[in-house]
Amino acid sequence: MRQTLTVNINMQKYTVTTETGLFFRLGNLLAEQYPDKKVAVITDDTIKDIYEEHLVKQLDGAGIQWKLISLPPGEGSKSFDTLPKLYSILLDFQLTRGDVILAFGGGVIGDIAGFTAATFLRGVNLIQLPTTLMAMVDASIGGKNGANLKEGKNMAGTFYQPKEVLIDPGFVRTLPDEILDDGMAEVIKYGCAFDPDLFSDLIDRAEKGDGSGIESIIYRCCLIKKQVIEQDYQDYGVAMLLNFGHTLGHCIEDYYPDGTYTHGQAVAIGMYATTLAAEKRGLTASNTSALLKDLLIAYDLPYTLPENADLSKIVETVKRDKKRRGNTLNLVLLERIGKSYLYQLDKSDFVEFLKID
Ligand code: ADP
Ligand code: ZN
């Protein structure tokens, strides 16, 4: 079923369309909405291997003048050094400001293609066509983009809203399980922090075990994200609640070598550890952490670090996190499932807070 919502940020409006099979009408959709415009598709080699044939059928079929630019998969392509290479290809293709960059991929592609669209010729039309669950429910909406510097991840980037976001939940069918579960962590986050009904539906869905209902789950996450970022698209207030599980999650990602934990796995551990500690301190309703733990297990996500992990060392990295302004942490806690709030804490007290015995 096709569902659309409108995001309205900073006087800029754009639609997010969720529809299984949308990819198979992409050619006509682009030809109608961007007549006679060139389209530069930025993707990665894995996605290209799976979907190039369909893409050719769609875009050639609609008579679009287009170019496929494919980067190696993985975080390495999000490097700042990728930008001049992309700019050269786009110049060569003679892409102008009225033309379109189509970001076709997961979070990495969404970020680097978004940054390219924001900065090439001071900004060209951007369409997000996310292919991972993570990118569908999170990264493709809100206009954040970024590139990694050698000094750190996402150290350069802008807020640049796309002209539209096209979500085809059908792409999740080709996702490896681990990457699908990674996105589920973010979906579970939305249920925990904002929507108790979403949380119960996730439990029911896991019990059924048939992977159904993903389309409506994605749409509901997009709706939550829209509502939150419309109030606060730069993360100064209510949007901080989107960071549930992320404070510790980012520490885990920073501490362990690349690839030990995916973003979603680190966030899953972050959500559980924070909720367990908050519950022990009477800051979260009792039994909340048990419900969360069961759901994480049902989606093959971890909920705890290995027993020998040195929590104080892991949490040390919180001090380097660029988003933690000053010495105070705005930790997201659950009042109960579906309702979150900010709890301020001195950075140096974070490790103590997390210790439960
Ligand atoms: P995210 O940050 O959204 O998890 P990435 O851009 O790092 O995503 O993508 C994760 C991996 O999944 C990459 O190797 C990418 O090539 C691959 N991938 C993305 N979308 C699909 C898909 N629909 N089917 C199969 N593999 C995909
Ligand atoms: Zn996240």
Side-chain angles (χ1 to χ4, degrees):
M1 187 176 70
R2 186 185 309 171
Q3 284 177 293
T4 60
L5 56 85
T6 308
V7 178
N8 191 345
I9 288 180
N10 241 356
M11 316 281 281
Q12 290 178 61
K13 280 191 185 170
Y14 56 96
T15 55
V16 179
T17 306
T18 311
E19 180 190 2
T20 303
L22 185 152
F23 181 54
F24 299 100
R25 56 184 192 89
L26 180 68
N28 286 339
L29 205 148
L30 292 174
E32 274 165 27
Q33 299 206 37
Y34 305 89
D36 305 320
K37 301 298 181 198
K38 288 185 183 176
V39 178
V41 181
I42 303 182
T43 192
D44 76 30
D45 297 340
T46 308
I47 299 159
K48 177 174 174 244
D49 283 351
I50 308 175
Y51 293 107
E52 183 175 14
E53 211 178 297
H54 295 291
L55 203 57
V56 170
K57 216 185 259 174
Q58 283 299 315
L59 301 196
D60 281 356
I64 293 168
Q65 200 187 343
W66 67 290
K67 181 167 187 65
L68 185 60
I69 306 168
S70 186
L71 304 169
E75 191 75 18
S77 285
K78 228 179 100 171
S79 154
F80 197 78
D81 304 334
T82 305
L83 292 166
K85 295 174 198 152
L86 290 174
Y87 296 147
S88 298
I89 300 171
L90 296 173
L91 284 168
D92 210 44
F93 181 47
Q94 298 184 344
L95 195 90
T96 65
R97 293 186 68 182
D99 293 327
V100 175
I101 289 182
L102 181 72
F104 181 41
V108 166
I109 292 301
D111 273 359
I112 198 77
F115 197 0
T116 306
T119 49
F120 183 68
L121 306 178
R122 298 204 176 91
V124 302
N125 295 319
L126 169 67
I127 298 176
Q128 290 283 0
L129 179 60
T131 62
T132 63
L133 180 58
M134 175 77 80
M136 291 178 199
V137 299
D138 187 20
S140 64
I141 303 172
K144 277 190 196 171
N145 58 52
N148 302 331
L149 305 183
K150 66 176 185 325
E151 290 86 354
K153 287 187 180 176
N154 291 321
M155 287 294 161
T158 77
F159 288 99
Y160 185 72
Q161 302 306 325
K163 284 282 177 265
E164 62 187 303
V165 182
L166 303 173
I167 298 180
D168 185 343
F171 285 123
V172 305
R173 279 189 222 117
T174 56
L175 277 181
D177 286 345
E178 199 187 40
I179 298 173
L180 182 64
D181 296 340
D182 190 43
M184 271 328 282
E186 216 76 48
V187 171
I188 291 171
K189 174 196 82 176
Y190 284 110
C192 287
F194 302 97
D195 186 347
D197 295 337
L198 175 60
F199 193 92
S200 341
D201 288 354
L202 291 171
I203 298 176
D204 294 346
R205 188 173 171 272
E207 280 167 1
K208 276 199 244 148
D210 60 359
S212 66
I214 195 74
E215 191 181 65
S216 86
I217 285 171
I218 292 170
Y219 178 76
R220 285 156 78 182
C221 293
C222 292
L223 199 58
I224 296 170
K225 177 122 197 211
K226 160 205 153 73
Q227 287 161 349
V228 171
I229 59 169
E230 279 184 347
Q231 296 173 57
D232 171 28
Y233 79 101
Q234 287 179 317
D235 293 352
Y236 288 113
V238 63
M240 282 196 241
L241 298 176
L242 292 166
N243 281 335
F244 174 54
H246 282 61
T247 305
L248 179 58
H250 285 146
C251 293
I252 294 170
E253 281 182 277
D254 286 351
Y255 178 80
Y256 286 95
D258 268 356
T260 311
Y261 290 103
T262 64
H263 175 71
Q265 289 171 336
V267 168
I269 297 170
M271 290 192 289
Y272 180 70
T274 311
T275 303
L276 185 64
E279 198 176 309
K280 291 262 152 79
R281 287 171 170 64
L283 296 165
T284 293
S286 57
N287 203 39
T288 306
S289 60
L291 291 169
L292 174 55
K293 177 174 161 182
D294 288 347
L295 193 59
L296 294 172
I297 294 170
Y299 285 96
D300 289 326
L301 286 158
Y303 60 92
T304 182
L305 288 165
E307 247 171 51
N308 59 1
D310 185 341
L311 196 61
S312 353
K313 283 220 172 97
I314 295 168
V315 167
E316 266 292 291
T317 60
V318 85
K319 301 198 174 127
R320 300 202 304 260
D321 193 320
K322 69 176 167 36
K323 286 189 185 147
R324 318 286 147 231
R325 306 163 182 104
N327 280 323
T328 310
L329 277 181
N330 281 301
L331 196 61
V332 184
L333 302 184
L334 301 184
E335 190 179 309
R336 56 179 186 275
I337 292 294
K339 179 113 180 54
S340 50
Y341 66 102
L342 291 178
Y343 178 79
Q344 294 202 327
L345 186 73
D346 206 83
K347 272 180 182 171
S348 49
D349 294 335
F350 189 35
V351 73
E352 215 35 58
F353 177 90
L354 290 171
K355 282 191 186 146
I356 43 165
D357 39 35

